[in-house]
C-alpha cells in the first residue's frame, strides 16, 4: 500500500483517485473548489478544501511523507506549475503531474515533476492506433521508442513455434503472453505453436512492431 496525495479533483483527479483506492492505497485529496470536493465525497471522504498554491498549507501537509504526489490540475497551468515547485521544495519523493500541451510538459519536468502525463492526448493516440490499424487490438506506449501491443498472429507464423520462427532474434520483440477466447496465458514456452484464433501480447520497438503488424 502506498500513501498518495492527489491535488485537484476534476475528472482526471477523481478517476485516478478511485483507481488508487481500488488498488488498496491510502489517499488524501486536496481541492479548493467546494462543489468539486462535494462531487468526489462518495469516492473519498478524506478531502481537504484548500488552495494548494499556498506555501504554508503545502508545508503543513508533510508532503515528504507521501510515496506519491499527483498534481491533477488541468485547467490552470500556472497553479499546476506553482504547486509542483512547492511540492519539490518541501521534499516530495515523486511527483506525477498532468499536462495538456507539450510546452507545459517541458516546464513541469524542469521544475520538479518526475513524470508528466497527457491524459487526453495519450488516450487519443492509443485509440487511434487501436482502431486505425488492421492488426493491432490494443496499444500501450512505454517510451517514445518502445510499446506493448496486442496483435494478430502473422499469417506465416501459424502452425509454427516460437523457437522455429526465432522471434526474439529475427524480429527483436518479446512475446509476453498469448490470448485466446479472453484468457491470457503469460510467458509462453519456446515450443508454443501459433494458431489463427489467438492474439499475441508483445513488447518491442514501435518501428519493429509496426513493420509486421500492418
Amino acid at each position: 500500500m502506498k500513501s498518495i496525495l492527489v491535488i485537484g479533483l476534476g475528472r482526471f483527479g477523481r478517476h485516478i483517485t478511485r483507481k488508487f483506492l481500488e488498488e488498496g492505497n491510502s489517499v488524501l485529496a486536496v481541492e479548493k473548489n467546494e462543489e468539486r470536493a462535494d462531487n468526489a465525497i462518495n469516492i473519498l471522504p478524506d478531502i481537504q478544501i484548500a488552495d494548494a498554491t499556498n506555501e504554508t498549507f503545502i508545508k503543513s501537509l508533510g508532503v515528504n511523507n507521501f510515496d506519491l504526489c499527483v498534481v491533477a490540475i488541468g485547467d490552470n497551468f500556472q497553479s499546476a506549475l506553482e504547486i509542483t515547485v512547492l511540492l519539490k521544495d518541501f521534499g516530495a519523493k515523486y511527483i506525477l503531474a498532468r499536462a495538456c500541451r507539450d510546452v507545459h510538459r517541458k516546464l513541469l519536468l524542469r521544475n520538479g515533476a518526475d513524470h508528466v502525463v497527457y491524459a487526453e492526448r495519450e488516450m487519443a493516440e492509443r485509440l487511434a492506433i487501436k482502431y486505425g490499424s488492421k492488426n493491432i487490438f490494443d496499444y500501450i506506449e512505454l517510451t517514445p521508442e518502445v510499446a506493448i501491443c496486442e496483435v494478430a498472429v502473422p499469417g506465416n507464423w501459424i502452425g509454427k513455434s516460437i523457437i522455429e520462427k526465432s522471434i526474439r532474434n529475427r524480429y527483436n520483440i518479446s512475446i509476453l503472453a498469448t490470448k485466446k477466447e479472453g484468457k491470457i496465458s503469460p510467458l509462453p514456452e519456446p515450443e508454443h505453436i501459433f494458431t489463427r484464433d489467438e492474439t499475441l501480447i508483445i513488447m518491442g520497438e514501435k518501428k519493429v512492431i509496426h513493420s509486421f503488424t500492418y
Side-chain angles (χ1 to χ4, degrees), residues 21-158:
L21 292 170
E22 287 176 359
E23 295 298 313
N25 297 293
S26 172
V27 181
L28 168 65
V30 175
E31 171 58 59
K32 71 175 183 178
N33 184 292
E34 291 190 26
E35 184 177 352
R36 284 185 176 178
D38 288 342
N39 290 337
I41 200 70
N42 61 324
I43 301 171
L44 175 71
D46 196 3
I47 302 173
Q48 292 199 27
I49 300 175
D51 182 358
T53 63
N54 183 291
E55 183 174 345
T56 302
F57 172 72
I58 290 293
K59 184 178 181 180
S60 72
L61 291 175
V63 296
N64 59 309
N65 294 315
F66 291 93
D67 298 302
L68 171 66
C69 294
V70 181
V71 183
I73 297 171
D75 56 356
N76 189 327
F77 172 69
Q78 183 63 36
S79 292
L81 184 61
E82 290 178 18
I83 292 167
T84 299
V85 171
L86 286 173
L87 289 172
K88 182 59 68 174
D89 285 348
F90 286 109
K93 296 174 183 175
Y94 194 94
I95 302 172
L96 170 66
R98 179 191 179 197
C100 298
R101 297 172 56 190
D102 190 55
V103 66
H104 292 172
R105 173 182 175 273
K106 292 177 181 177
L107 288 169
L108 287 165
L109 288 172
R110 289 174 184 171
N111 288 278
D114 295 286
H115 183 75
V116 177
V117 60
Y118 295 86
E120 291 83 1
R121 174 178 168 177
E122 290 181 2
M123 180 56 71
E125 290 179 351
R126 180 177 179 182
L127 292 174
I129 292 172
K130 178 177 179 178
Y131 291 104
S133 168
K134 182 179 179 181
N135 296 316
I136 297 179
F137 304 113
D138 208 350
Y139 177 90
I140 300 174
E141 183 181 275
L142 300 180
T143 72
E145 295 79 29
V146 179
I148 294 176
C149 298
E150 181 185 351
V151 301
V153 178
N156 63 349
W157 292 15
I158 296 171

